[in-house]
Amino acid sequence: MSSIRVTYSGLITFVLMLVSIITGLIFTLIVTRRLDQIEFGLWSLIGGIVAYSLIFAPISNYWVSRHIARGEKESITGIICALIFAGAGIIIYFLATRFLSEFSDVNYNILILAATLVPFSYLLRSLNSIAGSYKPQITAYSMLIFELIKIPVGYVLVYLWDMGIEGAIITVILSHIVQIFYYVFSLRKKLREKFHAQTFRNWIKLSWLPVISSLHDKIMYLDSTIFT
């Protein structure tokens, strides 16, 4: 617990939340000035589908943060668990996109490109849970890195090169990759731990608890899907 700096982490998180509001507004302005109505609607739809695909993410994140807070070495178990469920998340994503492409005129190639967001999201959420119980300030700095990378890359790909929604998706992917590198460097000591199969089996047995408790978050993404 000595590595957790509560006051420092709290102040950093608060400041970066304010920064995120500004950078998020800037990125939204970049996207809205270059995407037409259909592309912007597809951008919102992709966010909803990815959110549905993350239904299994809480299984590892819910438990790994508790184990690490108790001083147990379950970081690798959490990451491998997240990657395993990322496969199930990708299946859900493609089932949803195939269904939507049958009943709408959405560009399926763009939906395939956006599928790469699913495994990145699973991995990042797992790393975020590990950092949150180990060194919370790492999570705050990761947020800053994501926001600082997103603005210049988005400006070049979306605004200058006029790549449209593909540019917006690639911007998020590249920002996530930089985030992952930062997490791996910052959590390198935790990533030397071993995978524990028994812990993984216990998480599977109790998987219904975190999944059900997170279902309410998915309801907020139903609007764009229903409209589509």
Side-chain angles (χ1 to χ4, degrees):
M1 299 292 290
S2 59
S3 61
I4 298 181
R5 304 166 63 183
V6 179
T7 303
Y8 174 74
S9 301
L11 288 174
I12 288 295
T13 303
F14 174 73
V15 172
L16 293 183
M17 286 178 63
L18 298 179
V19 174
S20 298
I21 294 175
I22 300 174
T23 55
L25 177 61
I26 295 174
F27 185 73
T28 300
L29 290 174
I30 293 174
V31 170
T32 53
R33 286 180 65 87
R34 286 299 182 183
L35 301 186
D36 57 29
Q37 293 91 333
I38 296 178
E39 285 185 323
F40 190 74
L42 182 56
W43 173 254
S44 301
L45 177 63
I46 289 172
I49 301 175
V50 171
Y52 306 146
S53 304
L54 295 175
I55 188 173
F56 300 119
I59 295 177
S60 63
N61 302 340
Y62 181 88
W63 297 112
V64 72
S65 59
R66 285 158 175 75
H67 282 279
I68 294 177
R70 293 195 294 262
E72 301 173 9
K73 298 181 179 180
E74 301 294 353
S75 299
I76 293 299
T77 306
I79 292 174
I80 293 179
C81 179
L83 293 177
I84 291 174
F85 284 111
I90 291 175
I91 293 175
I92 292 176
Y93 179 90
F94 278 112
L95 289 176
T97 53
R98 287 297 299 177
F99 176 80
L100 290 172
S101 62
E102 290 287 337
F103 295 95
S104 65
D105 56 351
V106 297
N107 190 328
Y108 192 65
N109 293 327
I110 295 178
L111 294 177
I112 292 177
L113 173 63
T116 54
L117 294 172
V118 176
F120 283 131
S121 298
Y122 269 89
L123 180 56
L124 279 169
R125 290 193 174 206
S126 180
L127 293 170
N128 182 72
S129 297
I130 295 170
S133 298
Y134 175 59
K135 290 183 178 180
Q137 62 270 21
I138 293 177
T139 301
Y141 282 121
S142 172
M143 292 169 50
L144 178 61
I145 290 173
F146 175 77
E147 297 295 340
L148 292 180
I149 294 296
K150 187 171 64 174
I151 298 302
V153 175
Y155 180 77
V156 173
L157 296 184
V158 180
Y159 194 84
L160 295 183
W161 292 0
D162 200 16
M163 293 180 62
I165 190 171
E166 292 95 336
I169 295 172
I170 294 173
T171 297
V172 176
I173 292 173
L174 293 177
S175 301
H176 281 337
I177 291 175
V178 176
Q179 265 190 299
I180 291 172
F181 276 114
Y182 172 74
Y183 269 127
V184 170
F185 175 78
S186 301
L187 300 173
R188 57 190 181 279
K189 293 183 179 180
K190 301 293 292 180
L191 300 181
R192 297 171 184 171
E193 299 171 359
K194 297 180 179 180
F195 173 77
H196 300 119
Q198 183 58 47
T199 301
F200 176 71
R201 286 192 289 268
N202 292 337
W203 291 355
I204 297 299
K205 292 178 182 178
L206 299 173
S207 60
W208 59 271
L209 180 60
V211 170
I212 292 178
S213 63
S214 64
L215 285 179
H216 67 281
D217 292 335
K218 306 298 181 291
I219 298 176
M220 62 187 297
Y221 296 103
L222 287 175
D223 52 353
S224 58
T225 306
I226 292 174
F227 181 79
T228 303

